[in-house]
Amino acid sequence: MLVMNRQTDLPLVLHAQAEPLALRLSHERLAARIDLPHGRPRRAPLLALHGISRDANAIRRGFLAETLGSGRVLVTPRFGRKHWPHFQRIGRARPDLAVLELLAQAGRHGDFDTGKFALFGYSGGAQFVHRFAMLYPGRVAALHVAAAGWYCLPDPTVAWPAGLGRAKGPVAPIANLKLAQLDAFLRLPVRLYVGTRDDAREPALRQGRRLDAIQGRTRIERAQNYLLAFANAARQRGIRPDISLTLLPGCGHDFTECAREGGLARLVCAS
């Protein structure tokens, strides 16, 4: 479907068993809130990641009713500034390994399957989750990318980190692994989201002549161009792309606004 529409053990703390049951995994380098539905989960867990504001509570509030109502576990990590100043990147630092360990611990303590999970990220979190999915496509049930500032294109002719070509030094093995698993990644269901008013060139948006020329000048243009790049890469490999872009009417670069006014949480949990 192609659519364009308008590293160590993690100790567990079990909090008061209000409804729903909430767990908090804590570690000196990473923390997450785990919300469990009544009974056995009926769908793959959703891991939902914040942007550079680090407001994991806003992400949790935005998704809680929709996830629990659909019978799925909600995992909302928080990458602290001290240990993860650039959590959206996977390179010398390895936030991906921290997430995998956290999910393993969560599944053991919460008694639910984390073999496959849906991934959502907003803004900087969106940058992380699509890069994570390129490394671990077999673990991802569905990929939801909202308001990403920029993308790693599935294209070996575009130099790293904007694409998969010409990576050097410590990041070369990561780029090579993404390239080796590109077919599996291109088979994933991918849903892109961005607000119709999210077109500002503010300082938080990575900019540059080369990046702007390759990906576009705004988050809207970059999402549109990523959709086309993903679809073209899939078709070149004989894969039918399953990717869509939904423009959230009247929404700017604000997760809460997108979740409430744009229906973002409902859209993510319905797919």
Side-chain angles (χ1 to χ4, degrees), residues 102-173:
L102 183 143
L103 283 166
Q105 292 288 327
R108 286 195 291 270
H109 289 293
D111 191 26
F112 60 92
D113 185 11
T114 59
K116 274 203 170 187
F117 47 92
L119 266 177
F120 169 87
Y122 187 81
S123 192
Q127 294 172 208
F128 170 81
V129 297
H130 87 278
R131 292 165 182 155
F132 180 99
M134 295 179 85
L135 281 173
Y136 309 101
R139 300 291 303 274
V140 179
L143 176 61
H144 300 271
V145 180
W150 63 293
Y151 299 83
C152 179
L153 300 178
D155 188 341
T157 69
V158 176
W160 179 274
L164 296 177
R166 301 207 305 270
K168 298 178 181 179
V171 299

Side-chain angles (χ1 to χ4, degrees), residues 8-270:
T8 50
D9 199 31
L10 301 173
L12 176 77
V13 180
L14 178 61
H15 290 269
Q17 295 192 18
E19 302 294 344
L21 180 63
L23 313 176
R24 187 183 299 275
L25 293 175
S26 58
H27 180 259
E28 64 177 0
R29 300 191 67 199
L30 184 61
R33 180 72 176 260
I34 317 293
D35 289 287
L36 305 173
H38 298 294
R40 298 294 299 176
R42 301 189 299 272
R43 301 180 63 190
L46 174 66
L47 186 146
L49 187 59
H50 57 73
I52 60 173
S53 68
R54 321 282 172 143
D55 194 351
N57 288 330
I59 300 293
R60 178 177 179 266
R61 289 192 300 268
F63 278 107
L64 188 60
E66 293 286 349
T67 51
L68 298 184
S70 62
R72 75 195 315 173
V73 176
L74 175 63
V75 182
T76 47
R78 184 181 185 278
F79 284 102
R81 296 182 190 277
K82 178 180 178 181
H83 294 294
W84 304 103
H86 304 293
F87 70 90
Q88 60 269 53
R89 305 175 190 173
I90 300 174
R92 290 177 176 84
R94 297 301 303 267
D96 56 318
L97 301 181
V99 165
L100 289 174
E101 177 61 20
L102 183 143
L103 283 166
Q105 292 288 327
R108 286 195 291 270
H109 289 293
D111 191 26
F112 60 92
D113 185 11
T114 59
K116 274 203 170 187
F117 47 92
L119 266 177
F120 169 87
Y122 187 81
S123 192
Q127 294 172 208
F128 170 81
V129 297
H130 87 278
R131 292 165 182 155
F132 180 99
M134 295 179 85
L135 281 173
Y136 309 101
R139 300 291 303 274
V140 179
L143 176 61
H144 300 271
V145 180
W150 63 293
Y151 299 83
C152 179
L153 300 178
D155 188 341
T157 69
V158 176
W160 179 274
L164 296 177
R166 301 207 305 270
K168 298 178 181 179
V171 299
I174 294 172
N176 292 338
L177 182 57
K178 288 182 179 181
L179 189 57
Q181 300 184 120
L182 189 54
D183 281 13
F185 173 69
L186 294 170
R187 290 189 175 94
L188 291 179
V190 178
R191 304 292 176 258
L192 310 174
Y193 313 88
V194 64
T196 58
R197 294 192 298 107
D198 195 353
D199 57 359
R201 297 267 294 173
E202 86 281 4
L205 179 68
R206 184 164 180 169
Q207 302 171 35
R209 185 184 308 172
R210 180 174 174 273
L211 184 64
D212 292 349
I214 294 171
Q215 300 200 11
R217 291 178 54 80
T218 69
R219 290 184 178 88
I220 296 173
E221 290 180 7
R222 292 177 183 184
Q224 292 168 334
N225 288 331
Y226 183 75
L227 181 146
L228 296 175
F230 184 102
N232 289 337
R235 289 177 178 136
Q236 287 171 7
R237 289 163 174 79
I239 299 167
R240 183 179 180 181
D242 183 3
I243 185 168
S244 67
L245 167 60
T246 299
L247 300 178
L248 306 174
C251 294
H253 195 65
D254 182 277
F255 168 76
T256 300
E257 181 180 59
C258 290
R260 292 180 179 173
E261 307 302 324
L264 177 57
R266 173 181 53 80
L267 291 167
V268 170
C269 293

